Short mmCIF file of all heavy atoms in Angstrom, two decimals:
data_model
loop_
_atom_site.label_atom_id
_atom_site.label_comp_id
_atom_site.label_asym_id
_atom_site.label_seq_id
_atom_site.Cartn_x
_atom_site.Cartn_y
_atom_site.Cartn_z
N ARG A 423 19.08 -1.44 22.02
CA ARG A 423 18.34 -0.40 22.72
C ARG A 423 18.67 0.96 22.15
O ARG A 423 17.82 1.84 22.02
CB ARG A 423 18.67 -0.45 24.22
CG ARG A 423 17.71 0.32 25.10
CD ARG A 423 16.30 -0.20 24.99
NE ARG A 423 16.20 -1.62 25.32
CZ ARG A 423 15.20 -2.40 24.99
NH1 ARG A 423 14.18 -1.90 24.29
NH2 ARG A 423 15.17 -3.67 25.31
N ASP A 424 19.94 1.14 21.79
CA ASP A 424 20.37 2.42 21.22
C ASP A 424 20.28 2.44 19.69
O ASP A 424 20.25 3.52 19.09
CB ASP A 424 21.82 2.72 21.62
CG ASP A 424 21.99 2.85 23.12
OD1 ASP A 424 21.01 3.22 23.80
OD2 ASP A 424 23.10 2.58 23.62
N ASP A 425 20.28 1.27 19.08
CA ASP A 425 20.47 1.17 17.63
C ASP A 425 19.64 0.02 17.06
O ASP A 425 20.18 -0.99 16.63
CB ASP A 425 21.96 0.98 17.35
CG ASP A 425 22.30 0.85 15.87
OD1 ASP A 425 21.51 1.36 15.04
OD2 ASP A 425 23.33 0.24 15.55
N ALA A 426 18.32 0.18 17.06
CA ALA A 426 17.45 -0.89 16.53
C ALA A 426 17.68 -1.11 15.05
O ALA A 426 17.37 -2.19 14.52
CB ALA A 426 15.98 -0.55 16.79
N SER A 427 18.23 -0.10 14.36
CA SER A 427 18.47 -0.22 12.93
C SER A 427 19.74 -1.03 12.60
O SER A 427 20.01 -1.27 11.42
CB SER A 427 18.60 1.17 12.29
OG SER A 427 17.41 1.89 12.42
N GLU A 428 20.49 -1.40 13.64
CA GLU A 428 21.75 -2.13 13.44
C GLU A 428 22.64 -1.40 12.42
O GLU A 428 23.20 -1.98 11.49
CB GLU A 428 21.49 -3.57 13.00
CG GLU A 428 20.77 -4.38 14.07
CD GLU A 428 20.21 -5.70 13.57
OE1 GLU A 428 19.25 -5.65 12.77
OE2 GLU A 428 20.71 -6.76 13.98
N ALA A 429 22.79 -0.10 12.66
CA ALA A 429 23.57 0.74 11.76
C ALA A 429 25.03 0.88 12.20
O ALA A 429 25.90 1.15 11.38
CB ALA A 429 22.93 2.13 11.67
N VAL A 430 25.29 0.70 13.51
CA VAL A 430 26.63 0.92 14.05
C VAL A 430 27.17 -0.40 14.62
O VAL A 430 26.73 -0.86 15.68
CB VAL A 430 26.62 2.01 15.14
CG1 VAL A 430 28.03 2.23 15.67
CG2 VAL A 430 26.02 3.29 14.62
N ASP A 431 28.11 -1.01 13.91
CA ASP A 431 28.71 -2.27 14.32
C ASP A 431 29.76 -1.99 15.38
O ASP A 431 30.75 -1.29 15.14
CB ASP A 431 29.34 -2.96 13.10
CG ASP A 431 30.00 -4.29 13.43
OD1 ASP A 431 29.88 -4.75 14.58
OD2 ASP A 431 30.66 -4.86 12.53
N LEU A 432 29.57 -2.56 16.58
CA LEU A 432 30.46 -2.32 17.71
C LEU A 432 31.40 -3.49 17.98
O LEU A 432 32.00 -3.56 19.06
CB LEU A 432 29.62 -2.03 18.97
CG LEU A 432 28.67 -0.82 18.87
CD1 LEU A 432 27.78 -0.75 20.11
CD2 LEU A 432 29.44 0.46 18.68
N ALA A 433 31.52 -4.40 17.03
CA ALA A 433 32.33 -5.60 17.25
C ALA A 433 33.77 -5.26 17.58
O ALA A 433 34.41 -5.92 18.42
CB ALA A 433 32.26 -6.52 16.03
N ASP A 434 34.35 -4.26 16.94
CA ASP A 434 35.74 -3.89 17.19
C ASP A 434 35.91 -3.07 18.46
O ASP A 434 36.91 -3.21 19.18
CB ASP A 434 36.30 -3.12 16.00
CG ASP A 434 36.48 -4.00 14.76
OD1 ASP A 434 36.60 -5.23 14.92
OD2 ASP A 434 36.49 -3.43 13.65
N SER A 435 34.94 -2.23 18.76
CA SER A 435 35.07 -1.34 19.92
C SER A 435 34.66 -1.97 21.24
O SER A 435 34.96 -1.44 22.31
CB SER A 435 34.27 -0.06 19.69
OG SER A 435 32.89 -0.35 19.53
N GLU A 436 33.95 -3.11 21.19
CA GLU A 436 33.51 -3.80 22.41
C GLU A 436 33.96 -5.26 22.36
O GLU A 436 33.15 -6.19 22.30
CB GLU A 436 31.98 -3.72 22.54
CG GLU A 436 31.42 -2.33 22.69
CD GLU A 436 31.67 -1.74 24.08
OE1 GLU A 436 32.20 -2.47 24.95
OE2 GLU A 436 31.34 -0.56 24.28
N PRO A 437 35.28 -5.51 22.41
CA PRO A 437 35.78 -6.89 22.24
C PRO A 437 35.34 -7.85 23.35
O PRO A 437 35.14 -9.04 23.08
CB PRO A 437 37.30 -6.71 22.22
CG PRO A 437 37.55 -5.41 22.91
CD PRO A 437 36.39 -4.55 22.57
N LYS A 438 35.19 -7.37 24.59
CA LYS A 438 34.79 -8.26 25.68
C LYS A 438 33.35 -8.73 25.49
O LYS A 438 33.04 -9.91 25.67
CB LYS A 438 34.95 -7.56 27.02
CG LYS A 438 36.40 -7.35 27.43
CD LYS A 438 36.49 -6.75 28.82
CE LYS A 438 37.95 -6.57 29.23
NZ LYS A 438 38.06 -5.97 30.60
N ILE A 439 32.46 -7.81 25.12
CA ILE A 439 31.07 -8.19 24.88
C ILE A 439 30.99 -9.11 23.66
O ILE A 439 30.28 -10.13 23.67
CB ILE A 439 30.19 -6.94 24.69
CG1 ILE A 439 30.18 -6.12 25.98
CG2 ILE A 439 28.76 -7.34 24.29
CD1 ILE A 439 29.48 -4.78 25.84
N ARG A 440 31.73 -8.77 22.62
CA ARG A 440 31.77 -9.62 21.42
C ARG A 440 32.23 -11.03 21.77
O ARG A 440 31.61 -12.02 21.37
CB ARG A 440 32.72 -9.00 20.40
CG ARG A 440 32.85 -9.79 19.09
CD ARG A 440 34.03 -9.32 18.29
NE ARG A 440 35.28 -9.63 18.97
CZ ARG A 440 36.41 -8.93 18.86
NH1 ARG A 440 36.46 -7.84 18.12
NH2 ARG A 440 37.50 -9.31 19.52
N GLY A 441 33.29 -11.15 22.54
CA GLY A 441 33.81 -12.46 22.90
C GLY A 441 32.85 -13.25 23.76
O GLY A 441 32.68 -14.47 23.58
N ARG A 442 32.20 -12.59 24.73
CA ARG A 442 31.25 -13.28 25.60
C ARG A 442 30.07 -13.81 24.81
O ARG A 442 29.66 -14.98 24.97
CB ARG A 442 30.77 -12.34 26.70
CG ARG A 442 29.75 -12.97 27.65
CD ARG A 442 29.31 -12.00 28.73
NE ARG A 442 28.53 -10.89 28.22
CZ ARG A 442 27.23 -10.94 27.97
NH1 ARG A 442 26.54 -12.06 28.16
NH2 ARG A 442 26.59 -9.86 27.52
N LEU A 443 29.50 -12.99 23.94
CA LEU A 443 28.34 -13.42 23.18
C LEU A 443 28.71 -14.48 22.15
O LEU A 443 27.93 -15.42 21.90
CB LEU A 443 27.69 -12.22 22.49
CG LEU A 443 27.01 -11.19 23.40
CD1 LEU A 443 26.32 -10.12 22.57
CD2 LEU A 443 26.02 -11.84 24.34
N HIS A 444 29.90 -14.36 21.58
CA HIS A 444 30.31 -15.37 20.61
C HIS A 444 30.48 -16.72 21.29
O HIS A 444 30.09 -17.76 20.74
CB HIS A 444 31.61 -14.96 19.91
CG HIS A 444 31.92 -15.80 18.72
ND1 HIS A 444 33.20 -16.08 18.30
CD2 HIS A 444 31.09 -16.45 17.84
CE1 HIS A 444 33.16 -16.85 17.22
NE2 HIS A 444 31.88 -17.08 16.93
N GLN A 445 31.01 -16.73 22.50
CA GLN A 445 31.14 -18.00 23.21
C GLN A 445 29.78 -18.56 23.57
O GLN A 445 29.56 -19.78 23.49
CB GLN A 445 31.98 -17.80 24.48
CG GLN A 445 32.43 -19.12 25.12
CD GLN A 445 33.28 -19.95 24.18
OE1 GLN A 445 34.27 -19.48 23.63
NE2 GLN A 445 32.89 -21.21 23.97
N LEU A 446 28.83 -17.68 23.94
CA LEU A 446 27.45 -18.14 24.18
C LEU A 446 26.90 -18.84 22.94
O LEU A 446 26.27 -19.90 23.02
CB LEU A 446 26.55 -16.95 24.51
CG LEU A 446 26.29 -16.55 25.95
CD1 LEU A 446 25.36 -15.35 25.98
CD2 LEU A 446 25.71 -17.70 26.75
N LEU A 447 27.14 -18.23 21.79
CA LEU A 447 26.63 -18.77 20.53
C LEU A 447 27.28 -20.12 20.21
O LEU A 447 26.59 -21.07 19.81
CB LEU A 447 26.91 -17.76 19.43
CG LEU A 447 26.09 -17.81 18.14
CD1 LEU A 447 24.60 -17.80 18.43
CD2 LEU A 447 26.46 -16.63 17.24
N ILE A 448 28.58 -20.19 20.37
CA ILE A 448 29.30 -21.44 20.10
C ILE A 448 28.81 -22.56 21.02
O ILE A 448 28.54 -23.69 20.58
CB ILE A 448 30.82 -21.22 20.27
CG1 ILE A 448 31.35 -20.30 19.16
CG2 ILE A 448 31.57 -22.55 20.26
CD1 ILE A 448 32.76 -19.83 19.39
#
Side-chain angles (χ1 to χ4, degrees):
R423 195 60 57 198
D424 298 333
D425 179 25
S427 297
E428 296 167 292
V430 181
D431 180 6
L432 301 173
D434 290 337
S435 61
E436 298 286 355
K438 289 185 179 179
I439 296 173
R440 180 194 67 209
R442 179 180 68 82
L443 292 184
H444 193 211
Q445 193 60 52
L446 266 180
L447 201 53
I448 292 169

